[in-house]
Amino acid sequence: MRSLGSPRGFSLIEVTVAAAVLAGAVLSAAQLFAVATAATVDARTAGEGTVLAWQKLEQLRSLAFTIDEAGQPITDTTTDIAAAPERTFGGTGLSPSPVWALTRDTPGYVDYLDARGVSLGGGVQPPDAARYRRRWAIEALGGPNLLVLRVRVVPVGGEVEAARVVSLRARRLP
Amino acid sequence: MSLAELLVASGIMLTLTGAVGSVLVRAQFSFRVQPEVADMQQRLRVAASTFGRDLLMAGAGPAFTAQAGSLVQQLPGVAPYRRGQIDDVRAGVFYRPDTVSVLYVSTTRAEADIERTIDTGRELLVDAAPNCGALAHERVCGFTTGMRVAFFDARGAFDLGTVTRVAGNQLTVLYGGALSSSYNGGAVVAEVVAVTYYLRPDGVSGASQLVRYDGFLTDRPVVDNVVGMQVEYFGDPRPPRVLPAAAPGDPVRPITSYGPAPPAGSADDPRDLWGAGENCVFADAGGPVPRLGALGGGVSPVPLDPARLRDGPWCPDAVHPARFDADLLRIRRVRVRLRVQVAVAAMRGPAGRLFAKGGIATSAELFAPDQQIVLDVTPRNLGGAP
């Protein structure tokens, strides 16, 4: 390569190589921007996912799981909290879920949400506007009076979970 | 270098410079917008945390007094209006879609049965039953000057005040305005958290602030630039029921599934307008009959129509200055929708789906759309959850 003081200047190849080096450097820097943006999006996804998971857990906690005045257990097995708006019939309530409920979209144990966290209802396929799928599982623990409630939120189009929460629910006296 | 080479080299450099410029401009947009987006997320997190903590505790009652247990036996732990020294009810307002009040007894020792009171017109002198145990049976424990307390009785009468003096077993409590009721034997005084969350218009931003009112004199902003708040309530669909007495050895039960217990033995309570054997949730037809009907045939909470929360029946009765709709005692779950906007108007586009309030942004790359949170809370002390 000639020195900067050379009267012949630079060849086209030299200019091209220099431009390629510069382009590589700029692209590397641009990748940093992309990484920073992706980190912000990940943080947002995790934050939204946690709120959505807790929201479903609170819905599950509000369903009847008690004992009536005659001492008989009452368990809600009909409320459809996958529907939007939720209904008192046609759902699974606190019925035990299939073992795959957290890994596959299972009617009665999944709903879909848009980017604002608004439920779009359940089903086996997410609607076009869905950004998150929210699955939940219900399992009896050591008898009929204690439930394990698990909720998992996954962005639509991926299987890397945004959030997962677990809680216990004990049957309540009237 | 020939002219052709010079032209080609210039073309390459121009292209490259243009590409670099484009990347830098996008990066600049991104770096301007991302902190504001993170700020919106942070504000929503703060709101969720603050709301969640208070709502979760709503309805927690005293643990050591004669009226131990959830407040759902006497008072609404959650109410859709401002409650406290500045009180919506005394102004005739019983529902606001963007306001929610929470009441719960603190988890301290500061609670005692009231033996008698003297009302001086500004302060209430309270002779409280000693609550310190056998070692100090002439005084009350846990109460301190400046503490916020509530008086309430089994009918649902309720007032707030501030402790100004503690001497032996006597408390002096300053109250604002006028007391709604008199409190004597059978009533309780206890330290409480009585807060209201509501939206207050903010002249600076043109949006609103989410404000936490402490039930006394202070409105503390929690979150700025709020452009929407809506509170929905889900309630027990079943009418209130009088529960059978617990068998020996059973855990202690409340007397009703919710709401004040009817006067025993068809007696009349002269302090209210209800007939003998009746109160705001039970009529008397040879036995207690609920005044509140069933809301469908289910057993889990259902959405409560706002009209239902302000149409009576009223507790303690329809002329009581601090009355409340008996349907508030049904509330078992609260859903709060909160929407915030970016603080910088240059990052808001025209008003519409993305922006509740328009801004001055001219490039979509600078848009930071409004963000929303939907928060459901099942208060653990309102009878719906263990």
Side-chain angles (χ1 to χ4, degrees), chain B residues 312-326:
Chain B
W314 301 99
C315 297
D317 62 30
V319 297
H320 194 275
R323 62 192 176 278
F324 60 89
D325 190 305

Side-chain angles (χ1 to χ4, degrees), chain B residues 30-289:
Chain B
S30 175
F31 278 114
R32 283 177 64 190
V33 170
Q34 289 304 323
E36 297 298 330
V37 172
D39 177 65
M40 277 193 283
Q41 293 169 19
Q42 185 62 18
R43 280 186 276 137
L44 287 176
R45 267 198 290 271
V46 167
S49 168
T50 311
F51 254 130
R53 191 173 55 242
D54 278 332
L55 280 171
L56 210 57
M57 288 295 292
F64 310 109
T65 64
Q67 293 180 42
S70 169
L71 290 181
V72 80
Q73 300 293 309
Q74 300 100 11
L75 297 168
V78 177
Y81 48 77
R82 186 160 160 147
R83 194 159 59 176
Q85 193 155 311
I86 303 169
D87 199 295
D88 275 341
V89 167
R90 295 187 190 227
V93 177
F94 295 94
Y95 179 82
R96 294 184 191 273
D98 59 359
T99 300
V100 60
S101 291
V102 174
L103 175 70
Y104 57 90
V105 172
S106 303
T107 53
T108 65
R109 189 72 203 184
E111 55 182 71
D113 291 304
I114 293 176
E115 293 182 335
R116 70 191 69 82
T117 59
I118 299 172
D119 187 356
T120 66
R122 188 165 169 268
E123 292 178 324
L124 197 65
L125 309 180
V126 180
D127 284 345
N131 64 352
C132 307
L135 293 178
H137 48 79
E138 292 297 326
R139 54 189 289 258
V140 288
C141 291
F143 292 93
T144 56
T145 302
M147 180 179 282
R148 294 289 288 157
V149 296
F151 317 102
F152 56 91
D153 64 23
R155 301 175 301 142
F158 158 72
D159 278 288
L160 288 169
T162 303
V163 176
T164 55
R165 186 165 173 267
V166 182
N169 72 329
Q170 189 172 77
L171 306 173
T172 304
V173 180
L174 177 70
Y175 57 85
L179 285 175
S180 68
S181 192
S182 58
Y183 300 92
N184 286 297
V188 169
V189 58
E191 182 185 9
V192 293
V193 175
V195 295
T196 299
Y197 290 92
Y198 70 99
L199 289 190
R200 181 173 65 185
D202 180 7
V204 177
S205 69
S208 296
Q209 289 178 318
L210 173 64
V211 173
R212 185 180 191 263
Y213 168 55
D214 71 350
F216 189 39
L217 299 174
T218 308
D219 290 305
R220 183 166 55 88
V222 179
V223 171
D224 286 328
N225 275 290
V226 179
V227 289
M229 175 175 161
Q230 186 185 5
V231 189
E232 300 168 58
Y233 302 92
F234 296 77
D236 191 336
R238 293 168 294 179
R241 306 177 307 283
V242 176
L243 301 177
D250 276 359
V252 175
R253 289 182 181 184
I255 298 170
T256 66
S257 57
Y258 61 90
S266 291
D268 185 29
D269 188 334
R271 296 172 298 177
D272 64 38
L273 298 179
W274 302 107
E278 300 187 339
N279 65 11
C280 59
V281 293
F282 292 103
D284 185 17
V289 178

